[in-house]
Amino acid sequence: MSKSAMDKEVLGHTQTNLSDHQVKASDKDGKPADHSQPGIQDSESREVRGYPEDLEPGSEAVELAKVERVYRKLDLRIIPAFWVLYFLCSAIRSNIGLSQTMNTEQGHNLSQQLHLSAKEVSTGLALFYVCYVIFDLPANLIMTKLSPHVWMSRIVTGVAIIGTCMTAMRAVWSLYLLRLLLGVVIAGMWPGMAYYLTLFYPPSRTAKRIGFYFTAAQVSAAVGGLVSAGFQKMDGLGGLVGFQWMFLLYGLVTFIVGISLLWWLPDRPLPPGETRNTSGWRRYIPQSKPALEGESARIHYEDLRRVYQRRQWTLGDFGRILIDWRVWPLMIMYFGVVGVGIGVQNYGTVIIRAINPSLTSVQLSLLFAPIWIFSTPQMDLIAILLVTPISDRFHRYRALFFSVPVCIQITGLLVTTYAGSTENPWPRYGGLLLVGFGLGPTVPICMAWTTEIFQPRHGEVGVAAATALVSGLGNLGSILTTYALYTGWADDSTPGPTQYRKSNLVMIGILALSILSSIVMTFLLKLFGQGRAKISSETSSVSELDGAAKREVQQRGFSRLWWK
């Protein structure tokens, strides 16, 4: 059978015909397969018995090298789009922190322009996360009912519009309103990205991919600190102050990216022979190019059949997820690391100013950037190229790969709290660098562990609901660090050598709680097992039959590394 004929067969046959073809092929006698030719061989000339251990049995065995190439094709299509959208949305979400110290000498920072008190600033920061917590879960559940790439485009476009409107803030009520709306429109983005990945990758391969695009938040913070220095030079141009130019330009660029995602991101994959519904309102939605075609689509279907056997979830399915105890330790893990990360991102310049009150606004922006520059090429590259991929290969030890970086963050906060002296306070700044250094792999590993536990137990809706619960409720940590700590804690923000000491210690406490939760999670999984929820016999059997599920029974370890 020629390759072109096979591609035609894959695209033209229905799923039922594909299964019939497999049965007929397996009943025929043939000569032993010729392993000299890589790839998919003619089903009539190969036997299932006798395959090497690294080949997946089926109607046509697929070499793992072919599988790896398919996932690399998906990486090139999906990960760059995710990186760009997350970079821009993270910037719009967190630029409010930079605006607190921009052009202070000219009386043009956010607080001075809007006549805000410290408490009003912390309230505005926290309101975003209140809406994020409330709407994260329903937004992600809606995504399972619609085209995921359309929903991601809606999120990014909405963030762009709200971010642009922040240029026009004139009073505290406008800050509160826009932060609330920003939380509403961005809800579901982060868990939605994790859910989207599971439509194309098995959970044991997701930590590395999440790590790839998670670096966008770190780079965004670093670039934001550097670029804000340039925006401050634009202060007064066209009647706008520096932070207004920042919100305006970020918003316009993000809007263009949001619209382009309708073509850039692929829709969910379809089984061979099935066509996409384009009736009704769907006819007005641009059709993006399929993620995979021809032989690559066939290989992906054989390797990850579970995502092709889609079923409509019910309230009963959702209820079983809510009462699954496994979601709560994951939520506590996320609570600590994301709370500390957001706290440092929003109050980094404020903490640095406490170290040296004589710094100018431009100097603060330039000193804020290395916290994330240091973590990006160092820790995040290590996390992406080493830590998160190794955590995928040794996915039974997620807690270890999570806890070690958290310990680095705790060390950094201790240094920021107690190091240095009145004459030389700069060792405290070194502690902030360590905090940024340790943040890298923690959030990706937490989300990957969530998908790994809940996809086999509850299917597609399990991933959507569990990631949203972990992300949404976990962001209560962000509310704590943005509202109750630092400038929101009056007694702790009094200038002096102990300024923000109590806030730092609270963040150390919640990080320790995250480590404890990961240890408890590991112990309980060993005690009770991961198990499989009773969703449907169809979903359960498909999950057990696809090639990825067979490989996930054992860890990949250090086999088939790129240099081998």
Side-chain angles (χ1 to χ4, degrees):
M1 182 183 292
S2 67
K3 180 179 182 297
S4 60
M6 180 175 290
D7 289 348
K8 183 176 180 181
E9 178 190 7
V10 170
L11 297 176
H13 280 60
T14 62
Q15 182 181 341
T16 302
N17 291 337
L18 179 63
S19 300
D20 291 341
H21 173 72
Q22 294 169 353
V23 173
K24 291 176 183 178
S26 64
D27 289 340
K28 292 186 178 182
D29 294 327
K31 296 179 180 180
D34 179 8
H35 295 294
S36 62
Q37 297 297 324
I40 301 178
Q41 307 294 326
D42 192 310
S43 60
E44 296 183 2
S45 65
R46 303 193 64 180
E47 295 178 338
V48 172
R49 62 183 182 275
Y51 285 173
E53 290 182 359
D54 65 345
L55 295 180
E56 297 303 331
S59 64
E60 295 151 333
V62 180
E63 290 186 7
L64 283 180
K66 285 281 188 177
V67 174
E68 296 292 344
R69 280 196 287 272
V70 166
Y71 288 123
R72 283 196 291 271
K73 283 184 180 179
L74 290 171
D75 289 342
L76 294 174
R77 178 73 183 277
I78 296 172
I79 303 304
F82 270 19
W83 198 96
V84 172
L85 75 87
Y86 197 54
F87 173 92
L88 293 170
C89 289
S90 295
I92 291 176
R93 180 191 66 191
S94 60
N95 278 346
I96 193 78
L98 290 170
S99 66
Q100 296 179 68
T101 55
M102 292 176 64
N103 298 113
T104 300
E105 293 81 4
Q106 293 81 20
H108 291 168
N109 69 31
L110 179 69
S111 298
Q112 293 165 335
Q113 286 289 292
L114 274 62
H115 307 291
L116 304 175
S117 66
K119 194 66 176 180
E120 287 172 335
V121 171
S122 62
T123 301
L125 291 173
L127 284 175
F128 165 85
Y129 296 102
V130 171
C131 287
Y132 191 91
V133 169
I134 294 173
F135 291 99
D136 221 20
L137 178 58
N140 227 32
L141 292 178
I142 292 173
M143 188 175 181
T144 67
K145 301 289 188 181
L146 302 176
S147 297
H149 77 300
V150 174
W151 193 247
M152 293 304 301
S153 174
R154 192 279 307 166
I155 291 174
V156 177
T157 305
V159 170
I161 293 172
I162 300 301
T164 305
C165 289
M166 295 183 79
T167 306
M169 291 187 298
R170 290 292 183 269
V172 64
W173 68 266
S174 57
L175 171 66
Y176 289 172
L177 175 62
L178 290 174
R179 288 290 291 180
L180 281 169
L181 292 176
L182 185 61
V184 172
V185 298
I186 204 173
M189 181 187 71
W190 176 248
M193 294 166 80
Y195 160 73
Y196 184 96
L197 283 186
T198 61
L199 299 178
F200 297 93
Y201 302 91
S204 62
R205 291 177 179 265
T206 55
K208 180 174 73 172
R209 275 81 187 182
I210 296 173
F212 278 155
Y213 62 74
F214 183 65
T215 60
Q218 323 299 88
V219 176
S220 175
V223 170
L226 295 173
V227 173
S228 70
F231 283 126
Q232 291 180 71
K233 298 298 183 181
M234 298 172 65
D235 186 64
L237 182 64
L240 300 178
V241 300
F243 75 82
Q244 289 176 321
W245 276 113
M246 180 174 64
F247 285 127
L248 177 62
L249 294 181
Y250 268 110
L252 294 177
V253 173
T254 304
F255 183 82
I256 295 172
V257 171
I259 298 299
S260 71
L261 291 177
L262 292 171
W263 293 271
W264 194 352
L265 285 175
D267 206 342
R268 67 170 67 244
L270 294 177
E274 183 175 324
T275 58
R276 206 170 300 280
N277 180 12
T278 57
S279 62
W281 60 269
R282 294 178 180 86
R283 71 167 63 99
Y284 303 107
I285 302 298
Q287 297 298 308
S288 62
K289 182 181 177 181
L292 298 167
E293 295 179 305
E295 182 185 4
S296 296
R298 172 69 170 267
I299 294 172
H300 188 262
Y301 174 77
E302 292 289 340
D303 197 59
L304 203 61
R305 290 195 182 195
R306 73 191 85 166
V307 304
Y308 291 89
Q309 303 298 327
R310 187 185 178 198
R311 62 181 290 272
Q312 296 297 319
W313 55 270
T314 65
L315 288 177
D317 297 327
F318 178 62
R320 282 187 285 272
I321 298 165
L322 290 179
I323 62 175
D324 193 328
W325 60 265
R326 293 161 184 82
V327 75
W328 305 111
L330 292 164
M331 185 272 291
I332 296 173
M333 290 167 55
Y334 196 83
F335 176 93
V337 295
V338 79
V340 171
I342 294 299
V344 173
Q345 197 169 29
N346 283 330
Y347 288 112
T349 54
V350 175
I351 297 171
I352 296 171
R353 169 154 281 173
I355 294 174
N356 188 345
S358 64
L359 294 171
T360 66
S361 300
V362 173
Q363 289 172 332
L364 282 174
S365 295
L366 295 175
L367 284 170
F368 179 70
I371 298 175
W372 310 105
I373 292 176
F374 180 79
S375 76
T376 298
Q378 303 294 331
M379 189 59 191
D380 279 337
L381 279 181
I382 293 174
I384 292 169
L385 301 178
L386 183 62
V387 178
T388 51
I390 290 179
S391 77
D392 277 344
R393 290 178 173 273
F394 295 91
H395 56 272
R396 297 177 186 172
Y397 300 97
R398 297 284 194 193
L400 176 64
F401 292 104
F402 173 85
S403 298
V404 171
V406 175
C407 289
I408 295 175
Q409 289 181 277
I410 290 175
T411 302
L413 285 169
L414 287 171
V415 171
T416 300
T417 304
Y418 293 108
S421 61
T422 305
E423 294 76 19
N424 180 24
W426 287 107
R428 296 172 60 190
Y429 178 70
L432 284 178
L433 297 178
L434 282 177
V435 174
F437 187 90
L439 179 64
T442 55
V443 174
I445 289 174
C446 188
M447 296 305 288
W449 203 3
T450 304
T451 64
E452 188 175 1
I453 290 173
F454 281 85
Q455 190 190 60
R457 283 187 58 78
H458 300 282
E460 183 178 308
V461 67
V463 174
T467 54
L469 286 169
V470 170
S471 172
L473 296 178
N475 264 285
L476 291 171
S478 302
I479 297 176
L480 171 66
T481 56
T482 54
Y483 181 75
L485 304 184
Y486 297 106
T487 60
W489 191 346
D491 293 340
D492 195 40
S493 58
T494 303
T498 62
Q499 188 177 15
Y500 304 136
R501 176 172 292 184
K502 294 177 182 177
S503 297
N504 292 339
L505 293 176
V506 169
M507 294 212 293
I508 290 172
I510 64 176
L511 286 175
L513 185 63
S514 292
I515 294 177
L516 178 62
S517 182
S518 71
I519 295 172
V520 170
M521 183 66 163
T522 302
F523 174 76
L524 291 177
L525 287 176
K526 288 184 178 295
L527 184 63
F528 297 107
Q530 182 167 321
R532 185 182 299 278
K534 295 181 179 179
I535 305 176
S536 71
S537 58
E538 177 189 4
T539 304
S540 180
S541 64
V542 167
S543 262
E544 293 170 0
L545 285 175
D546 68 34
K550 294 184 179 72
R551 288 196 303 275
E552 287 173 340
V553 173
Q554 294 182 341
Q555 298 181 125
R556 281 183 289 161
F558 290 113
S559 64
R560 299 190 65 83
L561 293 170
W562 63 271
W563 61 79
K564 294 185 178 181

